[in-house]
Amino acid sequence: MIRVLIIIFSFISFIAVGQEEKDAVDTSVVANAKKDSTVVDQLKAEADTIAKEIKNESSTTLIEGVRENLQPPSVTDLISFGNIFWSIVFLVIGYFTIRFLSVVLESFAERSTNYRITIKGLIPIVKISGWAFTLFIIIAGIFQPPIATVLTVTASVGIAIGFAAQDIIKNIFGGIMILFDRPFQVGDKIEIGKYYGEVVEIGLRSTRVITPDDSLVSVPNAEVMNTSVSNSNTGEPNCQVVAEIYLPITTDTAKARQIAIEAAQVSRFIYLNKPIAVLFFNEVKERRSYLKMRLKAYVSDIRNEFAFKSDMTEIVMRELIENGVVDPKDLH
């Protein structure tokens, strides 16, 4: 009995000691946890302080960097002997390259009637594209100005030019619009106001036209954009030619029409892929009534327009008189 009591007491003591050790361990864990929590809070506070310092330093650095970028470089940094020298070199190279390409295209264009207008239409595009590329190389490749400087200079130049050269800007804008809208192209026969002739050049400032009497007329592009333009051939090498002949009112129109059509067909300038038309109109001049015959045919090359018109007129008049359709006395 005593032995049993001793065993029970020992077991109770063991349990009590274990509970005390457990409580001690729990207390130690709680204490350590509180200690760790305090350390974590301290670390977070230190991290927040460091982050704020880094943020302030980054903001200061960013602001200083922006200020440095916004501040334009000195004149000596952009305009130096080397920059000027290489700019002149590239301008000279660009000029001769553009001129060489223009001459080559002009030479190829004159060798072919069918492709003359198409090839000549590339010349203005080559000139504008070539100069734009040359200026881009000089500005972006040689001077390399900051964006702020480019914007400042562009704004200043734009304002100055806007007040001093409004007409020039209008003409340049008109030239660019002509190239994009293409109401006509180099080689076309057009009529602008009182001028009629072949377009030989479309520049940034003006369009140059050669009239039938070999006069070179320069029409400002702004005026071209604000004026009605008549295009005779619209990019094709052929165009319609109209020859007008006054006949007596008693003329046999059927015979006159047949002779006129045959006269046009035998001309060496005729373009037979398009129709020939003969129209008659009654007109009164000096109290006398006349028949105005309009012979409409197409010339194979627009440069022979007036030669074809003269050829048709001569052949028709000769054939009308030789066939007795018209009496020479009635022509007086």
Side-chain angles (χ1 to χ4, degrees):
M1 185 65 180
I2 295 173
R3 184 177 295 177
V4 174
L5 292 174
I6 292 172
I7 293 171
I8 294 172
F9 179 76
S10 300
F11 179 74
I12 293 171
S13 299
F14 177 77
I15 293 174
V17 172
Q19 184 66 34
E20 289 177 0
E21 291 178 356
K22 181 180 179 183
D23 292 340
V25 171
D26 291 340
T27 304
S28 176
V29 170
V30 171
N32 291 332
K34 290 182 178 180
K35 184 178 180 180
D36 292 341
S37 177
T38 304
V39 172
V40 170
D41 291 339
Q42 292 177 355
L43 291 175
K44 287 179 64 177
E46 292 178 0
D48 291 339
T49 303
I50 294 173
K52 289 181 180 179
E53 292 178 355
I54 293 174
K55 184 176 180 181
N56 293 332
E57 291 179 359
S58 300
S59 301
T60 304
T61 305
L62 180 61
I63 293 172
E64 292 177 355
V66 171
R67 288 178 179 176
E68 291 178 359
N69 291 330
L70 290 177
Q71 184 178 3
S74 61
V75 178
T76 56
D77 293 336
L78 293 178
I79 302 177
S80 62
F81 175 78
N83 291 346
I84 295 175
F85 173 77
W86 286 111
S87 298
I88 295 174
V89 170
F90 276 96
L91 283 174
V92 173
I93 293 175
Y95 171 78
F96 283 105
T97 301
I98 294 170
R99 187 170 182 82
F100 172 75
L101 293 176
S102 300
V103 172
V104 171
L105 290 174
E106 184 79 22
S107 177
F108 277 110
E110 293 298 332
R111 294 180 182 180
S112 174
T113 301
N114 295 329
Y115 298 102
R116 182 177 66 233
I117 297 175
T118 302
I119 297 175
K120 283 193 172 185
L122 299 175
I123 296 177
I125 299 176
V126 169
K127 288 183 178 180
I128 293 178
S129 302
W131 283 118
F133 182 70
T134 302
L135 292 177
F136 174 78
I137 291 178
I138 292 175
I139 295 174
I142 298 177
F143 288 97
Q144 298 180 351
I147 299 298
T149 303
V150 175
L151 295 177
T152 303
V153 174
T154 302
S156 302
V157 173
I159 294 173
I161 293 177
F163 284 103
Q166 295 183 9
D167 292 337
I168 296 177
I169 293 177
K170 290 180 181 178
N171 291 328
I172 293 175
F173 180 75
I176 295 174
M177 291 303 299
I178 289 173
L179 293 178
F180 281 100
D181 190 38
R182 299 179 72 85
F184 55 84
Q185 52 188 320
V186 176
D188 283 352
K189 282 289 189 75
I190 64 172
E191 183 175 2
I192 306 176
K194 61 180 180 178
Y195 300 109
Y196 175 78
E198 179 182 347
V199 180
V200 294
E201 183 180 356
I202 301 176
L204 286 177
R205 192 192 66 83
S206 63
T207 297
R208 292 176 175 82
V209 178
I210 289 186
T211 61
D213 57 355
D214 289 335
S215 297
L216 182 62
V217 179
S218 296
V219 183
N221 290 327
E223 182 178 341
V224 175
M225 295 298 297
N226 296 322
T227 306
S228 298
V229 179
S230 174
N231 195 330
S232 298
N233 58 309
T234 318
E236 296 185 8
N238 60 83
C239 71
Q240 188 181 83
V241 178
V242 179
E244 296 182 345
I245 301 174
Y246 286 89
L247 303 174
I249 195 65
T250 57
T251 302
D252 186 344
T253 56
K255 291 184 178 180
R257 177 179 285 105
Q258 181 180 359
I259 291 174
I261 292 175
E262 292 176 354
Q265 289 175 340
V266 298
S267 175
R268 60 193 179 95
F269 303 113
I270 186 69
Y271 182 69
L272 294 173
N273 291 337
K274 291 188 177 181
I276 301 172
V278 179
L279 303 175
F280 291 94
F281 301 92
N282 184 24
E283 288 195 4
V284 177
K285 286 188 176 183
E286 297 179 357
R287 298 182 180 181
R288 292 185 60 182
S289 183
Y290 293 92
L291 277 179
K292 183 173 73 171
M293 181 176 69
R294 300 189 68 186
L295 173 58
K296 301 167 67 175
Y298 287 82
V299 64
S300 58
D301 189 345
I302 58 174
R303 291 185 174 176
N304 297 323
E305 174 186 0
F306 297 102
F308 182 45
K309 183 175 182 179
S310 176
D311 197 29
M312 286 194 300
T313 303
E314 293 176 9
I315 297 174
V316 169
M317 291 301 301
R318 184 175 64 248
E319 293 297 324
L320 288 174
I321 294 174
E322 290 181 357
N323 286 274
V325 178
V326 175
D327 189 348
K329 296 180 181 178
D330 296 333
L331 300 177
H332 295 292

